Amino acid sequence: MMAEVEIKTASEQTRARLLDAAREVFSQHSFQGATVREICRLAEANVAAVNYHFGSKEGLLAEALNFSQLTALQKANVTADACPKIRLRLFLRDFMLMLLDEKHASSQCRIMARELADPTPALDQIVSEAIAPLHEFLGKLLREIVGNKVGEAELRRCVYSIFGQCQFYRHSHPVLQRLHPKLRYDHKEIDAIAEHITDFSLAGIKQLAKKSG
Amino acid sequence: MMAEVEIKTASEQTRARLLDAAREVFSQHSFQGATVREICRLAEANVAAVNYHFGSKEGLLAEALNFSQLTALQKANVTADACPKIRLRLFLRDFMLMLLDEKHASSQCRIMARELADPTPALDQIVSEAIAPLHEFLGKLLREIVGNKVGEAELRRCVYSIFGQCQFYRHSHPVLQRLHPKLRYDHKEIDAIAEHITDFSLAGIKQLAKKSG
DNA sequence: TTTACTTTCAAACAAGTGTTTGATACAGTT
DNA sequence: AACTGTATCAAACACTTGTTTGAAAGTAAA
């Protein structure tokens, strides 16, 4: 890396402000619900800035996507010196923190969650760059735990079972808030959730290995 | 019920056509994405008909919601003469059929799924009339399986784990289609999914009972 | 048929959308 | 200082949105 990364022209600064604002707004509203004007207001830029710098609202969304946090998490886990079961536990804790922590929850994850319900052209990018590698990562990790006797389709369903549990807490947050108004996603609660998902899933996986083995 | 339910005035017929069209359109687009004009086109009614009969677009959505299928499913399960574990298996199969079957998949479920990602005032109604009873139902069923030694919070997380797995296949359908283009939710596939979720979850629950007991 | 009421309809309305425009201000180079 | 390409801006554009309007058509009782 060069030292010059810190020096930005005025143009680059507005670009960066727009991207930050876009991530914020797109994570709170659906793509349709988010307005260019609100993004520009938040970025303190002119309405025309989006089209000037990114061509269109869609182009802005495409550039606002950034999965570095997610890939870093996987890389760290792969190189960790621990047995597969513990690595699953570590991964789920980190993943749920990224998904739920109100402090530094990844706006990327929120945007991804929205794309599922109401896909835009950006979903193709999200799937190929983020979700596909993520599923492959967890699939390999589970394979280490479960051995070679379990079929590919059944293993995949275990991956789905785990991500399904994880995503539930993000997707259904509006519902859970109404069911249990006291619920807060603080660090302690997130840890407890991750622990539950890990224990629950490890049992489910073992049962599968036993049945097939 | 009177026999007259079959005889409908012209006004009642347009009302019914609008409700049908609304369920269709709201299940395919988000509330914001769905347009009154498209609904009216599908219902072969004038644009003003929505506001005349239902007051507003929101009013139409509120009246279009109908959870009878969901409550019937629960009632049938409660009165079934079978042990809790088998009733869980039966419930999950029926529930997944309702959720996924492309033939007669409940548009209601699709609408509910959309509401999670982008809540409208209708979500309050959905939560209190459909989701809360559903969670309570599954909670009681799990309690029968797990006994009284497991805490309330942990049991609730099991409910979440199960619904999380179920909803995953509906929520992430756009993603799964891209990951595995061959995937089709036919009757056989849905049965296999329901079986997997049941086995996976029963193992998770048992592990919890063992730990706490 | 006349009367009173309900329902439909084309048209318009006000507000909001993403995008474009042409002028203006600003940089860096010669 | 003059020139040049870049970036910003207020304003307008073309279009869609949910909703309203006032007249026309339909319906049913008197």
Side-chain angles (χ1 to χ4, degrees), chain A residues 83-101:
Chain A
C83 75
K85 288 182 190 177
I86 291 181
R87 272 167 49 216
L88 177 66
R89 195 172 297 274
L90 292 175
F91 167 75
L92 286 176
R93 204 203 46 190
D94 291 346
F95 187 64
M96 292 311 284
L97 263 169
M98 203 177 78
L99 216 54
L100 299 183
D101 191 5

Side-chain angles (χ1 to χ4, degrees), chain A residues 28-30 32-34 113-120 123-124 127 131-132 135 154 156-165 167-169 171-172 174-176 178-180 189 192-193 196-197 199-205 207-208 211, chain B residues 28-30 32-34 113-120 123-124 127 131-132 135 154 156-165 167-169 171-172 174-176 178-180 189 192-193 196-197 199-205 207-208 211:
Chain A
Q28 283 176 3
H29 310 80
S30 70
Q32 281 191 345
R114 300 202 168 282
E115 283 285 329
L116 299 192
D118 219 15
T120 75
L123 182 55
D124 287 319
V127 168
I131 300 182
H135 278 226
E154 294 179 16
R156 198 155 55 214
R157 290 213 182 91
C158 289
V159 172
Y160 297 167
S161 283
I162 292 177
F163 280 127
Q165 290 176 78
Q167 290 180 12
F168 176 85
Y169 290 87
H171 272 119
S172 297
V175 168
L176 296 181
R178 284 164 171 81
L179 288 177
H180 306 287
E189 176 70 17
I193 292 172
H196 163 81
I197 295 177
D199 294 338
F200 194 94
S201 301
L202 276 175
I205 293 167
Q207 164 269 346
L208 194 65
K211 200 177 70 176
Chain B
Q28 283 176 3
H29 309 79
S30 70
Q32 281 191 345
R114 299 198 170 284
E115 283 286 328
L116 299 191
D118 218 15
T120 75
L123 182 56
D124 286 320
V127 168
I131 300 182
H135 278 227
E154 293 178 19
R156 199 156 55 215
R157 290 214 182 91
C158 290
V159 172
Y160 297 167
S161 283
I162 292 177
F163 281 128
Q165 290 176 78
Q167 289 181 13
F168 176 85
Y169 290 87
H171 274 118
S172 298
V175 169
L176 297 181
R178 284 163 171 81
L179 288 178
H180 306 287
E189 176 69 17
I193 292 172
H196 163 82
I197 295 177
D199 295 336
F200 193 93
S201 302
L202 277 175
I205 293 166
Q207 164 269 346
L208 193 66
K211 202 177 69 175

Side-chain angles (χ1 to χ4, degrees), chain A residues 64-81:
Chain A
L65 295 174
N66 179 331
F67 311 112
S68 57
Q69 208 181 344
L70 202 58
T71 55
L73 196 157
Q74 295 166 56
K75 193 166 289 180
N77 192 278
V78 169
T79 59
D81 187 25

Side-chain angles (χ1 to χ4, degrees), chain A residues 29 43 104 182:
Chain A
H29 310 80
H104 37 70
K182 322 166 214 166

Side-chain angles (χ1 to χ4, degrees), chain B:
Chain B
M1 293 287 190
M2 317 280 270
E4 54 174 332
V5 287
E6 311 229 349
I7 294 138
K8 287 183 182 174
T9 70
S11 167
E12 282 167 337
Q13 283 178 20
T14 22
R15 254 188 81 95
R17 283 205 317 277
L18 280 171
L19 286 171
D20 278 345
R23 283 188 260 266
E24 178 67 24
V25 174
F26 281 134
S27 71
Q28 283 176 3
H29 309 79
S30 70
F31 180 74
Q32 281 191 345
T35 72
V36 173
R37 280 173 172 80
E38 184 182 351
I39 293 172
C40 290
R41 206 179 310 131
L42 194 65
E44 300 186 54
N46 188 273
V47 221
V50 164
N51 292 276
Y52 178 79
H53 286 279
F54 303 97
S56 68
K57 185 185 178 184
E58 265 186 23
L60 174 59
L61 172 60
E63 289 217 40
L65 295 173
N66 179 333
F67 311 114
S68 57
Q69 208 181 344
L70 202 58
T71 54
L73 195 158
Q74 295 167 57
K75 193 166 287 179
N77 191 277
V78 169
T79 59
D81 185 24
C83 75
K85 289 183 191 177
I86 291 181
R87 272 167 51 218
L88 177 65
R89 194 172 297 274
L90 292 175
F91 167 75
L92 285 176
R93 203 203 46 190
D94 291 347
F95 187 64
M96 291 311 283
L97 261 169
M98 204 178 77
L99 216 55
L100 300 183
D101 191 5
E102 288 159 355
K103 283 282 190 342
H104 37 71
S106 164
S107 58
Q108 309 292 335
C109 290
R110 274 192 257 247
I111 298 175
M112 286 167 63
R114 299 198 170 284
E115 283 286 328
L116 299 191
D118 218 15
T120 75
L123 182 56
D124 286 320
Q125 183 189 346
I126 293 174
V127 168
S128 62
E129 292 183 17
I131 300 182
L134 192 63
H135 278 227
E136 204 170 327
F137 161 80
L138 186 56
K140 281 181 183 168
L141 184 51
L142 293 193
R143 177 62 78 192
E144 288 186 56
I145 298 175
V146 89
N148 282 320
K149 293 193 178 170
V150 173
E152 197 58 42
E154 293 178 19
L155 189 85
R156 199 156 55 215
R157 290 214 182 91
C158 290
V159 172
Y160 297 167
S161 283
I162 292 177
F163 281 128
Q165 290 176 78
C166 294
Q167 289 181 13
F168 176 85
Y169 290 87
R170 161 122 314 281
H171 274 118
S172 298
H173 192 209
V175 169
L176 297 181
Q177 266 188 321
R178 284 163 171 81
L179 288 178
H180 306 287
K182 323 166 210 167
L183 177 71
R184 285 287 173 283
Y185 284 156
D186 54 23
H187 205 112
K188 192 181 144 211
E189 176 69 17
I190 296 174
D191 270 353
I193 292 172
E195 283 291 302
H196 163 82
I197 295 177
T198 309
D199 295 336
F200 193 93
S201 302
L202 277 175
I205 293 166
K206 270 182 203 160
Q207 164 269 346
L208 193 66
K210 215 176 294 173
K211 202 177 69 175
S212 304

Side-chain angles (χ1 to χ4, degrees), chain A residues 1 18 25 56 58 76 85 89 91 97 106-107 109 120 129 134 142 152 165 167-168 172 177 195 206 208:
Chain A
M1 294 284 189
L18 280 171
V25 175
S56 68
E58 263 185 25
K85 288 182 190 177
R89 195 172 297 274
F91 167 75
L97 263 169
S106 164
S107 58
C109 291
T120 75
E129 292 182 18
L134 192 63
L142 293 193
E152 197 58 42
Q165 290 176 78
Q167 290 180 12
F168 176 85
S172 297
Q177 266 187 322
E195 282 291 302
K206 269 181 203 162
L208 194 65

